[in-house]
Amino acid sequence: MPDLHTEFSRLLPADEIAEPSPTLLKDQRNRFTSAPDIILQPRSVESVQTIMRFCYEHRIPVTPQGGNTGLCGAAVSENGVLLNLSKLNRIRSINLSDNCITVEAGTVLKTVQQTAEAANRLFPLSLASEGSCQIGGNIACNAGGLNVLRYGTMRDLVIGLEVVLPNGELVSHLHPLHKNTTGYDLRHLFIGSEGTLGIITAATLKLFARPLDKATAWVGIPDIESAVRLLTETQAHFAERLCSFELISRFAAELSSEFSNLHLPTHSEWHILLELTDSLPNGNLDGQLAEFLYEKGFTDSVLAQSEQERINMWALRENISASQRKLGTSIKHDIAVPIGRVADFVRRCAKDLEQNFKGIQIVCFGHLGDGSLHYNTFLPEILSNEVYRYENDINSTVYCNVLACNGTVAAEHGIGIIKKQWLDKVRTPAEIALMKSIKQHLDPYNIMNPGKLLP
């Protein structure tokens, strides 16, 4: 391998070569540490092309990195180039006639949301890490979040992409075409590819009308079957106005209540946080929701009577992740099953885990509206990363239950390096062979994020 510092000092401006720092090298959970030969932070697409041409010619591995908020190790570099895109962060344009915004890959998600809001539009992707995660990473792992029920995942929000291929060639189609049936839709190759096929440098994203009315309710329920019934009947009654439908276990809610210093609105085995939004001024959405819940028998319900009460309800949901830290290091599972199988999965999986791991604690919450759950497990008295000694056994229990319910081991976070061995359990041999052939064609020297995603 050539001396990369010498070569890139010749090829790039000095400020595009970064010094190592924990922010760039340590993953989100302090589980993995990158060990690249060099860290590059290009400010232009031309620099990305220069980097890729050189790396392609010399067979140098390249690991793309956005906000470094991933949870599966997909942005961890063992050698070669760690390509951090945080300086490629311009808002290129906003187009209200086509309801879209074009941004570079390093743009922080919160910045896109705020830019849309300033133009009286909504960009609906909403994640716990939205203050630091970046659009390129959101696209690379096909992020979901709180509003998938109404607006879809990142795949549904991308109109066009600009991508630098492994050989440095630029493929760009950022024009806001809402219909285009000219052959294969190549953007979908890169959405969810976790940086294994190319470097996403920019995207054109869909915008929507801002909600002018909201109604938010916290509903106590005895079991998940009741939650599914509530979901079904709410969708039938309110249609597309149902924006979010979050399931929270009693244990998760109590953890967050203590952490947030906020009282729980209800005290039940399970809780639902649901929100309706209307792009037209309704004036009585709260009243309609209250009447609906009463008529359907969901009387253990509290409606937010002010914006502060709404904020507090969402704080209880959003602080679940932070509130778990007192339990130690968790073995996280980002899973999805058909909505009608969620209750079956939760019941069976908890039983199996409690039989095999005495005293295990389970924090279960997530987006029941699309069937995806955050299913986190904690072993008693193990507060450090020592818990990962049990990861394979716990994963086997959880994922076998997921597969028995026709689910997936990765709903939002991706595969990275920690779930590769499970890919062939959720994808057929023909699908994996096709993925590998696409990878081989675009990246014949396997320089793009090697060791990630594909087994």
Side-chain angles (χ1 to χ4, degrees):
M1 181 182 295
D3 184 297
L4 297 186
H5 283 270
T6 299
E7 294 295 336
F8 283 116
S9 294
R10 178 178 60 82
L11 294 170
L12 301 174
D15 64 354
E16 294 187 356
I17 301 174
E19 294 296 323
S21 70
T23 303
L24 299 174
L25 297 179
K26 282 281 186 181
D27 83 308
Q28 177 77 2
R29 306 195 68 207
N30 290 319
R31 183 174 180 182
F32 304 108
T33 301
S34 289
D37 295 293
I38 193 169
I39 303 172
L40 302 178
Q41 291 182 314
R43 292 181 178 274
S44 69
V45 176
E46 291 75 18
S47 286
V48 175
Q49 290 183 271
T50 297
I51 292 165
M52 293 313 305
R53 289 189 193 105
F54 180 87
C55 291
Y56 188 83
E57 179 183 353
H58 295 279
R59 317 293 196 260
I60 296 166
V62 178
T63 302
Q65 184 185 82
N68 200 23
T69 61
L71 298 172
C72 296
V76 176
S77 169
E78 293 185 357
N79 54 21
V81 173
L82 179 61
L83 186 60
N84 180 276
L85 296 161
S86 59
K87 292 183 178 179
L88 201 66
N89 59 9
R90 293 184 303 123
I91 305 287
R92 291 193 185 174
S93 66
I94 186 163
N95 179 339
L96 299 186
S97 60
D98 280 293
N99 269 328
C100 66
I101 184 171
T102 300
V103 304
E104 293 182 336
T107 309
V108 171
L109 172 55
K110 189 71 174 178
T111 302
V112 178
Q113 295 170 343
Q114 291 171 339
T115 304
E117 184 176 0
N120 197 32
R121 293 293 189 272
L122 170 72
F123 182 65
L125 185 70
S126 180
L127 314 171
S129 60
E130 61 194 29
S132 51
C133 66
Q134 297 171 12
I135 290 298
N138 297 152
I139 295 170
C141 72
N142 188 29
L146 300 173
N147 296 324
V148 169
L149 180 58
R150 181 166 182 176
Y151 298 102
T153 65
M154 197 63 175
R155 186 178 298 280
D156 302 294
L157 301 175
V158 176
I159 296 175
L161 282 182
E162 178 185 85
V163 179
V164 176
L165 299 180
N167 64 2
E169 184 179 353
L170 184 68
V171 176
S172 181
H173 199 100
L174 295 173
H175 303 301
L177 285 174
H178 303 282
K179 291 182 178 179
N180 185 0
T181 58
T182 53
Y184 305 135
D185 197 339
L186 298 178
R187 63 186 157 155
H188 290 297
L189 282 178
F190 301 96
I191 301 172
S193 66
E194 299 186 35
T196 60
L197 299 179
I199 307 293
I200 296 167
T201 53
T204 297
L205 308 171
K206 293 181 183 178
L207 299 179
F208 297 83
R210 287 182 63 195
L212 297 180
D213 203 358
K214 294 180 181 179
T216 307
W218 187 285
V219 185
I221 49 174
D223 49 47
I224 298 177
E225 286 87 352
S226 299
V228 174
R229 179 170 71 86
L230 175 58
L231 171 64
T232 303
E233 294 186 349
T234 306
Q235 287 177 311
H237 189 85
F238 290 101
E240 74 280 355
R241 286 181 290 180
L242 180 58
C243 187
S244 302
F245 197 93
E246 298 294 296
L247 176 72
I248 305 168
S249 68
R250 181 177 66 177
F251 185 40
E254 289 173 347
L255 282 173
S256 185
S257 174
E258 179 184 357
F259 176 86
S260 308
N261 196 27
L262 293 169
H263 293 294
L264 287 175
T266 64
H267 297 276
S268 304
E269 283 301 306
W270 293 91
H271 306 265
I272 291 295
L273 175 58
L274 69 89
E275 188 161 274
L276 308 177
T277 62
D278 200 326
S279 299
L280 297 174
N282 186 296
N284 191 36
L285 200 55
D286 282 335
Q288 293 173 18
L289 179 56
E291 182 180 357
F292 166 80
L293 291 170
Y294 180 79
E295 289 179 350
K296 297 298 182 182
F298 295 97
T299 54
D300 189 15
S301 304
V302 176
L303 270 72
Q305 299 299 306
S306 66
E307 180 61 17
Q308 187 58 55
E309 287 187 10
R310 175 184 174 275
I311 290 171
N312 289 347
M313 288 181 179
W314 278 107
L316 287 167
R317 163 61 180 86
E318 291 166 354
N319 288 342
I320 293 173
S321 294
S323 72
Q324 297 175 76
R325 291 173 189 153
K326 76 170 192 175
L327 302 178
T329 300
S330 67
I331 296 175
K332 293 183 181 292
H333 306 94
D334 159 50
I335 59 175
V337 298
I339 295 168
R341 302 294 301 274
V342 171
D344 185 34
F345 162 77
V346 170
R347 191 162 34 247
R348 290 171 179 268
C349 193
K351 180 181 178 181
D352 289 349
L353 286 171
E354 288 161 1
Q355 285 180 345
N356 296 329
F357 305 93
K358 299 303 179 185
I360 194 169
Q361 294 175 301
I362 302 168
V363 178
C364 179
F365 63 102
H367 320 302
L368 184 63
D370 57 41
S372 64
L373 296 176
H374 301 293
Y375 195 84
N376 302 334
T377 57
F378 298 81
L379 294 180
E381 301 179 4
I382 303 179
L383 301 179
S384 69
N385 284 5
E386 286 295 309
V387 75
Y388 292 127
R389 288 186 296 153
Y390 302 93
E391 183 175 37
N392 287 338
D393 292 335
I394 289 176
N395 284 352
S396 292
T397 301
V398 173
Y399 293 153
C400 284
N401 276 280
V402 168
L403 296 173
C405 292
N406 301 315
T408 179
V409 302
E412 294 185 321
H413 298 165
I415 295 293
I417 56 178
I418 68 173
K419 300 180 190 176
K420 283 198 311 176
Q421 68 272 32
W422 288 93
L423 190 65
D424 64 358
K425 304 296 189 298
V426 294
R427 291 301 188 101
T428 66
E431 287 177 311
I432 292 176
L434 182 57
M435 291 184 203
K436 288 183 174 180
S437 68
I438 293 169
K439 167 78 167 171
Q440 172 64 26
H441 179 77
L442 291 176
D443 183 22
Y445 305 128
N446 192 30
I447 65 170
M448 289 303 312
N449 217 4
K452 315 295 171 48
L453 182 60
L454 294 172

